[in-house]
Structure formats: C-alpha cells, structure tokens
Amino acid sequence: MPPIAQDTFLHTLRAIVGDAHVLTEGDLSAWELDWRKRQRGKALAVVRPATTEEVAAVIKACVASGISVVPQGGNTGMVVGSTPDASGTQLVLSLTRMNKIRTLDAANLTVTVEAGCVLQTLQQACEAQGFLFPLSLAAEGSCTIGGNLGTNAGGTQVVRYGNTRELCLGLEVVTAQGEIWSGLTGLRKDNTGYDLRHLFIGSEGTLGVITAATMKMVPMPAAMLTAFASVPSLDAAVELLGLAHKTLSAGLTGFEVMGDFALSLVRKHFPQQHIPFDGEDPYCVVLEVSDHDSEAHARTLLETLLEEALQDGCVLDAVVAESLAQARALWHIRESIPLAQAQEGLNIKHDISIAVSRIPDFVRETDAQIAQAFPGARMVAYGHLGDGNLHYNVQAPEGSDAEAFLRDQEKPMNALVYDQVDRYNGSISAEHGIGSLKREKLAEHKSPVALGLMRSIKQALDPQNLMNPGRMLKP
Ligand code: FAD
Ligand code: 2HG
Ligand code: ZN
C-alpha cells in the first residue's frame, strides 16, 4: 500500500475508534507474537473497537482499501491463527474492549455476552447468579468468548457439556462486507433454513467477526467433587472411564489423563505443587463428578466408583479432594502441563482425536515408531480422554537444541503421527483448530470433497479473501 493511502487508511480508523485505539508504534508483541512463541508477525496496525458498529465501520474501511484483517481475542490460541503474518500489511482487530455481559436471562438459561469478554469473567458472572457456564480451560483467565467460538474450544468439561459450539444458541457477526448480522435469539429451536451460526463457530476468523453471542448456562450443581487416581496403563484409564460413565452417568463432568513424563514436567517446573503419588505409575487421571442432590450423594457415588475400580485393578491408588481448595489444587496440576511444557522449551503439539477405545493401541504403536525414528524424543501425552482427545506432544531430546529439533524434525514427526491418526480414523485437530501451523496438514488429511465445500463457503462469504487469509485454508 503506498504511504499516502496507508496514512489515509489509518486516519479513517482513528476517526472510527479514536486515536488511542489504533496502535502502530512501540512494543506490539502482545498482539504480534503467538502464545507459543512460534511466529512473530508484523501488523499494519492494531485496532481496538468498542462497539459492533465500530467493528462494522472498520471492516468497511478494510474492504474499501483491500486490507486484510486478523480478528484477535486473548491471543492464547495454539496454532498461530490470531497474529498477523510478517508482511506488515494485515490489520489486527482486537476485540478485548468489547467485553460487556449484555443480558443474563435466568428463565431462558442464557447469557448474552460480547466477544471480548474474558472466559473467567463470564464464568464468574454466571456463578454470581447461581449458574454454571460450563466451558473451562487453563487459559480461561485471558482467552475470550469470541476466541472460544472462533476455535470451537473444548477444554475439560466437554465430556458432559460439549464444545463451545454446543453451548452457543446465537451469534452477532460483522460480515466480511461490514454488514451486521444479528442472530442473538437465544432460541433452542429454529429451523428457518441454514443454521448460520455454525458456519462462524470454529471458522477461526476466516469468515467474519463474531461480536457477541448468546450462550447456554446450567444451574449450578449442588456439589462438584474431584478425584485424582493413578492407573497402571492407558487401557486401565479407558476401563475406568467406562465404569465412570456407568456409575455416574450425566454426573461425570470431567475425565482427564496425564502421562508420567507430563507430570514430571510439572514436578520439575512447579515444585511448589503437591502431586499425589510418587510418579512411579505410567498414567494418572483427574475425574470430576457434579451432583444436583448433595455433596454426600456425590461422595458416595465417587467412592463407590473408586472402590470398584480398585478391586478391578484399573485404579492403583486414588485421592478425593476434601475441599474446594484441594479440588482446585488437583485441577491445577493438570492445567499446569502446557505451562510446564512451555518452560521446558519449544515443543511439537499434536491435538488429536481418536475413538476412546482405540487410544491405547494408537499410543502403544505410535510411541514405538517414534522411539525408533526419533531417538530421545520425549513424549508428553495427556488430555481429555473422556472426549477421545489426546495432546500427544513431543519435547526435544534432553539437553538438545529445541529450536534445531523443531526445524529438522517437526515435519517428519508430524507426518508420522498424522499418518497414524489417519490409520486410526482420527482427526488432526480436536479442539485447537488449524491456524497457520496446520493448514498444510489440513490440505493433506481432509477429503478433497470436504476441502472443496470449505473453499466454496469461504468464497461465498469472503470473496475478497480479507478475513484472516492464509489461515486454515491454503491461499
Ligand atoms: P485468539 O487466540 O485470540 O484467537 C483464536 C482464533 O480465533 C484466531 O483464529 C482468531 O482469528 C479467531 N478469533 C478470535 N476472536 C474472534 C472473533 N471475535 N471473531 C472471529 N474470530 C475470532 N483450547 C482448547 O480448546 N482447550 C483447552 O483445554 C485449551 N487449553 C489451553 C491452555 C493454555 C495454557 C493455553 C495458552 C491455551 C489453551 N487452549 C485450549 C487454546 C486457546 O486458549 C483456545 O483456543 C481459546 O479458545 C482461544 O481464545 P482467545 O480469545 O485467546 O483467541
Ligand atoms: C490443554 O488441554 C490445552 O491443556 C493445551 O488444550 C494443550 O498445550 C497443549 O498441547
Ligand atoms: Zn486441551
């Protein structure tokens, strides 16, 4: 863009959102560098609108000047989808000033919230009115509901409540043309044609900008209990999951698995945390039961389950949290794994899903292949076993240069793992999305028919290819 045209464009943006909210100078790392520090981009500017109308005006200005837009929430995404490329031509559209909770409708069990609202703020607002907003992930203190919808985030309660998609009843969106679509109906039934909200959920900012959403809440359970158990194998963890479904039914609200090396990284980098058991067993599980009757009822159910599991041998040892503080501490261990991985150094992530029943075989087989092909590679396996979603991550060999390992080994490592995922009929992205890190892989692993349909949708909604171009779909 010639300098004069660029000045005119920035002047237009300043007139829309105010001078203070168009950032072009100083340290813009918070918007230009992704959470994993995988890529640093360069933004033309960071623009921070405060209303839906301002977003629409910004997009219209972008359309008029042919400027591409990268919507951004908390910038906690795992696949480099929310930061600009290195060209210095893309506008980062940060939604964080649009953070109001517009309405909470207790009778309809819904809350309408702006896209930039931090997830934890939304959880707390619901809790204050006696409701649970059942989306929970370790980034909840900084990720936004717009980003959660943009990625169709999962987290630790999907086993009971589903992904963000399942929690959304309506959206308000600014289209790629700068029009406002108001779909905040809060209806549970509406069969008036294509359900447009589902196009935008999980579209990673490539089709339009989500500015607000109507989300489901559930009545706060009377009790939520957490247990931490060690298990002799992944097969045993799967057996325990089956028992938990049978005993707890809809009361099972969390079921996470953690490999011993993943836990050892938490021990190493967060020694102040107390991890039950000594780390001798290959896997541990965190499980949560929610109960609408009472804590005593929940405890009886959980203890019955654990006793049966101990007798069966699918659990070796278990503790049940005695207080909310203890429950939080147990969950904190699990949630610290990505942070411990980051402290350990750059790493390779595989956010995969496979039928729960096939996960043990997948891990056995793939671990063996990796050990042979990449001697010393350290496997950090953990995740949402209840959803068949494993974070099958890899840390560079001990003492090696992680940057060099990623440069030389990430491609062949990904090829090996994703070929295995194909063999097991799984998915190469369960909850984090595609962004730029996985777009080549999407092109290889998604069927040509599905890719063709995706391209048609993109072309129909964003014919100028201005919305987060190059993310998800290859240019
Ligand atoms: P960003 O990172 O800012 O954006 C993510 C994507 O959404 C980008 O493509 C962006 O363009 C798009 N986007 C953002 N806002 C909008 C909008 N308003 N309209 C349209 N598109 C938009 N993810 C999980 O699924 N489960 C987990 O358990 C989980 N745990 C995590 C733990 C840690 C410690 C961290 C750092 C991340 C974790 N994540 C997890 C990944 C991440 O937090 C989620 O993907 C989250 O949903 C991203 O929200 P965000 O506001 O940070 O979005
Ligand atoms: C989690 O479940 C997140 O903790 C992050 O999805 C996973 O860092 C990862 O690979
Ligand atoms: Zn996860």
Side-chain angles (χ1 to χ4, degrees):
M1 191 182 213
I4 296 182
Q6 184 167 317
D7 281 354
T8 310
F9 175 69
L10 292 176
H11 180 77
T12 306
L13 293 186
R14 291 194 177 103
I16 297 167
V17 300
D19 286 358
H21 302 300
V22 180
L23 316 179
T24 52
E25 282 163 9
D27 181 8
L28 300 181
S29 302
W31 297 274
E32 292 180 334
L33 179 65
D34 73 295
W35 188 87
R36 292 177 60 197
K37 301 189 170 47
R38 292 297 308 261
Q39 282 175 28
R40 182 184 287 275
K42 174 86 193 90
L44 171 64
V46 176
V47 62
R48 303 177 354 108
T51 65
T52 305
E53 289 69 28
E54 286 183 8
V55 174
V58 167
I59 298 292
K60 281 195 171 135
C62 290
V63 171
S65 298
I67 300 291
S68 58
V69 181
V70 182
Q72 190 182 89
N75 194 17
T76 66
M78 291 285 181
V79 288
V80 192
S82 54
T83 45
D85 66 19
S87 66
T89 62
Q90 300 193 313
L91 186 70
V92 172
L93 180 77
S94 167
L95 277 298
T96 52
R97 286 179 69 223
M98 289 191 60
N99 55 17
K100 290 189 206 65
I101 293 173
R102 291 192 186 161
T103 50
L104 187 149
D105 184 340
N108 199 40
L109 290 172
T110 52
V111 58
T112 296
V113 60
E114 291 183 349
C117 182
V118 168
L119 173 56
Q120 196 169 57
T121 309
L122 178 58
Q123 294 167 342
Q124 287 165 351
C126 294
E127 192 176 342
Q129 303 292 320
F131 298 100
L132 175 74
F133 180 62
L135 178 65
S136 181
L137 43 131
E140 64 200 19
S142 47
C143 68
T144 63
I145 195 71
N148 302 148
L149 286 158
T151 56
N152 184 27
T156 53
Q157 297 197 312
V158 173
V159 67
R160 170 70 182 93
Y161 302 106
N163 292 323
T164 311
R165 183 186 298 286
E166 273 86 32
L167 299 173
C168 179
L169 290 176
L171 288 182
E172 178 188 85
V173 170
V174 171
T175 69
Q177 290 70 41
E179 291 172 324
I180 299 172
W181 170 51
S182 299
L184 298 172
T185 63
L187 299 177
R188 282 177 169 73
K189 294 184 126 180
D190 179 7
N191 279 351
T192 51
Y194 302 137
D195 197 332
L196 298 175
R197 110 195 97 143
H198 288 308
L199 283 183
F200 292 100
I201 299 171
S203 68
E204 301 183 40
T206 63
L207 298 179
V209 184
I210 296 167
T211 49
T214 299
M215 307 298 294
K216 292 181 199 168
M217 314 176 292
V218 296
M220 185 60 80
M224 287 161 93
L225 285 188
T226 302
F228 197 101
S230 64
V231 297
S233 63
L234 259 185
D235 304 83
V238 170
E239 196 186 329
L240 176 63
L241 175 64
L243 273 181
H245 277 306
K246 204 173 78 181
T247 314
L248 306 171
S249 186
L252 178 65
T253 47
F255 196 100
E256 300 282 315
V257 74
M258 298 156 290
D260 58 351
F261 182 64
L263 284 172
S264 79
L265 289 182
V266 178
R267 275 196 191 89
K268 175 174 170 188
H269 295 288
F270 304 108
Q272 70 281 14
Q273 290 196 36
H274 170 68
I275 304 181
F277 321 127
D278 49 14
E280 297 284 300
D281 303 320
Y283 290 94
C284 284
V285 162
V286 177
L287 65 93
E288 182 188 79
V289 50
S290 299
D291 195 292
H292 285 280
D293 184 331
S294 64
E295 179 165 340
H297 186 246
R299 203 167 281 280
T300 307
L301 281 177
L302 190 52
E303 284 171 1
T304 308
L305 166 69
L306 292 173
E307 271 160 30
E308 192 178 336
L310 279 160
Q311 269 166 23
D312 272 16
C314 65
V315 159
L316 298 171
D317 206 348
V319 292
V320 177
E322 292 297 329
S323 65
L324 195 58
Q326 277 183 15
R328 286 213 174 110
L330 293 177
W331 273 108
H332 193 48
I333 297 166
R334 156 64 184 90
E335 286 169 352
S336 298
I337 298 174
L339 302 152
Q341 270 212 275
Q343 298 268 325
E344 184 70 6
L346 286 176
N347 52 74
I348 303 174
K349 292 190 188 293
H350 302 114
D351 161 41
I352 57 179
S353 63
I354 290 168
V356 170
S357 51
R358 305 191 70 195
I359 283 183
D361 282 343
F362 171 89
V363 170
R364 242 187 311 273
E365 238 179 75
T366 317
D367 274 0
Q369 290 179 15
I370 289 176
Q372 198 175 27
F374 304 91
R378 296 174 297 164
M379 301 311 296
V380 186
Y382 65 101
H384 318 286
L385 187 65
D387 319 326
N389 175 189
L390 207 59
H391 297 306
Y392 190 63
N393 297 345
V394 189
Q395 214 79 41
E398 178 93 61
S400 69
D401 175 350
E403 213 163 305
F405 180 74
L406 261 63
R407 188 190 59 229
D408 301 337
Q409 310 291 2
E410 184 167 20
K411 272 199 177 142
M413 173 73 74
N414 288 346
L416 186 157
V417 172
Y418 295 144
D419 283 351
Q420 277 288 92
V421 168
D422 276 353
R423 256 173 235 126
Y424 277 78
N425 247 330
S427 167
I428 64 162
S429 174
E431 58 172 9
H432 294 163
I434 302 298
S436 22
L437 280 189
K438 290 191 183 167
R439 66 177 191 187
E440 315 292 331
K441 287 288 151 194
L442 184 78
E444 287 169 27
H445 293 267
K446 195 116 182 152
S447 87
V449 176
L451 281 170
L453 290 170
M454 284 172 67
R455 285 191 186 285
S456 303
I457 292 168
K458 172 76 174 166
Q459 172 65 25
L461 270 66
D462 179 22
Q464 278 183 272
N465 194 23
L466 294 182
M467 296 303 310
N468 221 355
R471 282 18 177 266
M472 189 187 292
L473 292 167
K474 285 208 295 189

